[in-house]
Amino acid sequence: MNKAKRLEILTRLRDDNPNPTTELNFSSPFELLIAVLLSAQATDVGVNKATAKLYPVANTPQAILDLGLDGLKSYIKTIGLFNTKAVNTMKTCQMLVDLHNGEVPEDREALEALPGVGRKTANVVLNTAFGWPTIAVDTHIFRVSNRTKFAMGKNVDLVEQKLLKVVPAEFKVDVHHWLILHGRYTCIARKPRCGSCIIEDLCDFKDKTE
Ligand code: SF4
């Protein structure tokens, strides 16, 4: 795909949604970090339901530690893989208290050192809580980038590198959300909704649907 097409795609996505953000509910970097940690292989809607009850009771590392492991589990047991996520959340909270004065560090290495936090989660937190121009590549972004030929790559790391290279600076902070939302609601996995896609004429996918 050439530069002009990419620019037009980004411009249309921006015109359609000038201030995109995550569908996870949060009111602090810590709430976002825990919500993203809980969202692996789960829906944002499911995570929001759980955190709507958890955060009014405990929305700091110390408050979650005070709940105890079983106390935390009682709030998140509707989320897939909740046992592992509860253990990782407790360990992460302990590290935040011990090493970062209970704050979420604005630092990639420190974030990725937290249990249950990988590159993708660190990218989301740096981008959405702190405004860094990072691009977290999840399953939706991976699919949309390859299908449209906007930024092709065999794995998520290669797609991330390609996106960082081809997306102009003015779009970098928001491109992560535009591509996720496009993949979640229009360029869906099973049968993309090409007929109602605002970038259909620019997309290079060979097997477009009606
Ligand atoms: S035209 Fe179809 S394949 Fe291309 S981005 Fe739109 S929905 Fe996805």
Side-chain angles (χ1 to χ4, degrees):
M1 178 175 286
N2 66 36
K3 209 171 154 184
K5 260 192 183 181
R6 285 200 187 95
L7 189 61
E8 180 59 23
I9 285 176
L10 291 166
T11 302
R12 280 193 206 170
L13 292 174
R14 180 174 63 187
D15 289 349
D16 187 53
N17 185 3
N19 298 300
T21 188
T22 175
E23 293 186 317
L24 289 169
N25 295 333
F26 71 98
S27 63
S28 67
F30 177 71
E31 287 191 3
L32 177 65
L33 171 68
I34 299 305
V36 179
L37 195 155
L38 295 175
S39 73
Q41 294 176 53
T43 64
D44 288 358
V45 174
V47 172
N48 287 339
K49 269 191 195 157
T51 57
K53 290 193 176 141
L54 172 65
Y55 288 160
V57 178
N59 71 344
T60 64
Q62 190 58 57
I64 287 189
L65 288 171
D66 291 344
L67 284 179
L69 184 61
D70 289 340
L72 174 60
K73 281 185 187 174
S74 71
Y75 285 97
I76 65 167
K77 62 182 181 228
T78 50
I79 301 173
L81 309 174
F82 76 93
N83 278 311
T84 308
K85 290 174 181 175
V87 171
N88 282 335
T89 300
M90 295 302 277
K91 286 184 184 163
T92 283
C93 288
Q94 192 66 58
M95 281 179 72
L96 292 176
V97 168
D98 292 346
L99 303 176
H100 304 290
N101 296 318
E103 301 290 329
V104 175
E106 191 178 341
D107 179 281
R108 175 185 296 287
E109 211 178 319
L111 283 169
E112 289 186 14
L114 298 169
V117 178
R119 183 173 180 86
K120 194 186 81 178
T121 300
N123 274 335
V124 173
V125 172
L126 290 170
N127 174 269
T128 307
F130 298 119
W132 286 30
T134 54
I135 305 175
V137 178
D138 72 344
T139 177
H140 296 299
I141 296 187
F142 182 74
R143 180 180 67 258
V144 172
S145 298
N146 276 298
R147 207 182 239 170
T148 57
K149 299 193 171 32
F150 185 96
M152 298 178 75
K154 284 202 171 76
N155 58 48
V156 290
D157 289 339
L158 292 173
V159 169
E160 181 185 333
Q161 282 170 29
K162 182 82 180 175
L163 285 168
L164 286 169
K165 198 169 145 200
V166 300
V167 173
E170 64 175 303
F171 299 100
K172 272 214 175 95
V173 170
D174 290 326
V175 69
H176 155 76
H177 290 120
W178 287 321
L179 294 180
I180 283 189
L181 293 170
H182 194 64
R184 197 173 276 171
Y185 296 111
T186 305
C187 195
I188 52 181
R190 211 163 36 88
K191 193 178 175 203
R193 297 178 175 137
C194 304
S196 54
C197 175
I198 60 169
I199 57 167
E200 187 187 6
D201 55 318
L202 302 163
C203 166
D204 286 340
F205 185 47
K206 293 274 181 295
D207 301 310
K208 287 180 193 158
T209 61
E210 290 296 307

